[in-house]
Amino acid sequence: MKIPRVPSFRKLLRTSQIKLDNKLKNKQYKQKSAAKKYRKEQKKLREAVRDAISRKPFPLEDCKKKQVGKSRKWEEKEEEDALPLDMMDEDDLKLMEDLAQRASFLTRDLSSNEPVHVKKRKHESVIEKYEKMPRRLQTEPEKELIHLLPIKDKSGIIPQAVEKPVLNDEEEDTEDMEEAEDLNEEPLPVLTPEEMAAQRRQKLQERKMHIAALASAILSEPDSNIKKLKELRAMLMEQDPNVAVIVRKLVMVSLMEIFKDIAPSYKIRPLTEAEKATKVKKETQKLREFEEGLVSQYKFYLENLEQTIKDWKQRKLKKSNVISLKAYKGLAEVAVKCLCELLVALPHFNFHNNIIVLIVPLMNDPSKMISELCVEAVKKLFKQDKLGYASLGVVKVISGLVRGRNYDVRPEVLKVFLHLRIKEVELQKDSEDIAPKKKFMTYKEKRKNLSRMQRKWRKAEEKLERELLEAEASESKEKKLKLHTETLNIVFVTYFRILKKAQKSPLLPAVLEGLAKFAHLINVEFFDDLLIVLHSLIASGDLSYRESLHCVLSAFHILSGQGDVLNIDPMKFYTHLYKTLFSLHAGGTNEDIGIVLQCLDVMFAKRRKQVSQQRALAFLKRLSILALHVLPNSSVGILATNRIFMQTFPRMDLLLDNESQGSGVYLPELDEPEHCNAQNTALWELHLLQRHYHPTVQKFASHLIAGAPTEGSGALPLDLSQRSATELFETYCMKGMTFNPPVASVTSRRKVLFSCLCCGFLLSILFYMEGKKSCANSPTSHSIS
């Protein structure tokens, strides 16, 4: 038999909503019953009064006549119980008869409610009649009555009254206001627009001076003037409609700057009961009061900012209706700016997690300005966060937001993960920054300055300090590694969910870009599955060109790190990149060349031992052709990559000679780099690039024609040779519609224009020669170089 469990005390305390509703209904029913009972009693009292007025008492003789018909037993019993009159004197008997005549309770008919001595009432006045009527009990507050004319019928006079109607408080207030207005009807002075503007400026100047005075007092002595924070915060509720918006904005920004200045560099915790009961010094008590006031005012300030944003989101006006609905947007923007500043400036202080919970959902706000503000604030927080506590909190909230919105968020929300400081190099650097560097004395300094006993003590102290420093550094490093590991786990869980459930989501490019950055930190166990997923995404054909490039970059980042131990041939990724290079041009896909340069760096420079010569030659030729169809900054980046090819792989100078190497014809349209016979072609494109209008492109083309030497007359300047291809691509970018370097003189521009016009004609001739050479399969007598 199963023993029923006894419900816990906490469970007994829980009351269902049905039970609460029943209790409320019972209470209302009891109130109605009590009111009903009270009305019945009042009705009975009124009926009794009417009977008392209408009925007349019977005289004693009539009463005796009525009692004649009673049973004889009752008369006999009465006679037996009556006192013998023989035993009484005549005086006593006469006295008893007089009393009997005057006794109201004997002469009255007990079955009726008629009052005593009705005959006398004929001669009484109406006022005395009302005085003798029974009073009501004061069980409820008396209602004001309006007395009407009485009605007279057979029974007598019936008084008439009506209850005075009760006015609501608002109606009474309005009546009072109307009366006051009627009494004080003074015409208001009519102001001109100039006078109104001057009056507004004066009010605004007074508010500004007051804000400045309060802020200066707080900043000068925060311990003593912490209570003025409350006075300054009260100005957030400015009621003057002429200056309310500007004053509230000024107070928000002023409080934000004050809190940034006076907030301590540690988190303030609440005091325990034991600490509160302990007696402390005056300075300690003053510090406690300051910290308590600071935390409470900071909390109220954050609540005010949050309420401002909520009111704007809900399009909700306050009862006072001082500020219009349009002005709420400006207030909300200022509130968001203040929250973003506090998020970045006070990551160690109280309520930082509350600010994160407010800011992260606003990253997905429809308003572009607010979303950009929040995204930039989170990026700054990630960049300056060394330990990782704040980053972990933000990543948790972002992951929950993406999952809660069913992956329907802006891509910028996930792109902030790219700014996380999670790299091994940065981790070592941070541990060195945190660990204080201790300078110990040398042996010669000890011999010179210390005695034997002092040297002995000094040696023991230095040994202990070294051990303490090592323990502190290892502890902080372990703590950071633990935090970063947890952060990356949440990031990868978010990425893998999107890859599994939302492959057609606009978040996919951000996911692939994130995987490309953090792929070297993924566990080796997931490499096979992840590479299969990336290849299936590329093969599906649903991805854009940029997304497919991110897939390739992610795959090679995986294989370049811990993936070196895996026996995986990434030939399909090489083929895909080689096939899609001609999709780049000087139009919309020109920005994707930066990703291509990163892919080439990972695929060739970092994996040069796994790349064959045929593959390198094919990429070198196709990249040279591509350099003719893109913008100058892209051409510079591509030629810098070709320079690395020629310096890294042997025998790349084959393409600088017009002699064919082996059998076969170069097939530029073939998508397989291993079988296109790139060794049987030449780099005709470099001669055209030597005549390019951009001087940096000309320098690189001349450098490659000379064989990419590191020294001599054909070498590049140091500012170009020491930069990577990606840096050069960004340096010579033309987003601002400016040329770098500046445009040459008029004569030079004419030469450049002439060279550009001839470029198409020369290009057609070179392609014709290339085809003729491939068909004849015989070398000519002239060399390009």
Side-chain angles (χ1 to χ4, degrees), residues 674-709:
E674 296 284 349
H675 309 291
C676 66
N677 300 320
Q679 73 278 1
N680 292 324
T681 185
L683 296 178
W684 306 100
E685 299 79 15
L686 296 179
H687 275 281
L688 290 176
L689 293 172
Q690 266 188 318
R691 297 175 176 84
H692 200 278
Y693 65 89
H694 200 280
T696 309
V697 177
Q698 296 176 11
K699 291 179 184 178
F700 268 99
S702 303
H703 174 69
L704 293 177
I705 288 175

Side-chain angles (χ1 to χ4, degrees), residues 51-104:
D51 292 340
I53 295 171
S54 60
R55 296 189 182 183
K56 298 179 181 180
F58 293 99
L60 191 59
E61 292 81 7
D62 295 342
C63 186
K64 287 181 180 180
K65 289 178 182 179
K66 283 186 178 181
Q67 293 178 0
V68 171
K70 290 184 180 180
S71 61
R72 189 170 284 187
K73 291 182 180 180
W74 177 259
E75 291 177 357
E76 292 175 357
K77 189 176 181 182
E78 242 182 3
E79 289 175 2
E80 291 176 359
D81 294 341
L83 290 172
L85 300 176
D86 300 338
M87 296 176 65
M88 298 179 67
D89 297 335
E90 291 182 1
D91 297 335
D92 295 336
L93 183 61
K94 190 176 181 180
L95 180 62
M96 287 292 293
E97 288 178 356
D98 295 338
L99 289 173
Q101 290 293 331
R102 286 183 291 184
S104 60

Side-chain angles (χ1 to χ4, degrees), residues 245-264:
V245 178
I246 298 178
V247 169
R248 292 187 185 186
K249 289 180 180 179
L250 290 173
V251 174
M252 284 182 189
V253 178
S254 302
L255 283 171
M256 181 261 295
E257 294 294 341
I258 289 171
F259 283 120
K260 284 170 60 177
D261 288 340
I262 68 175

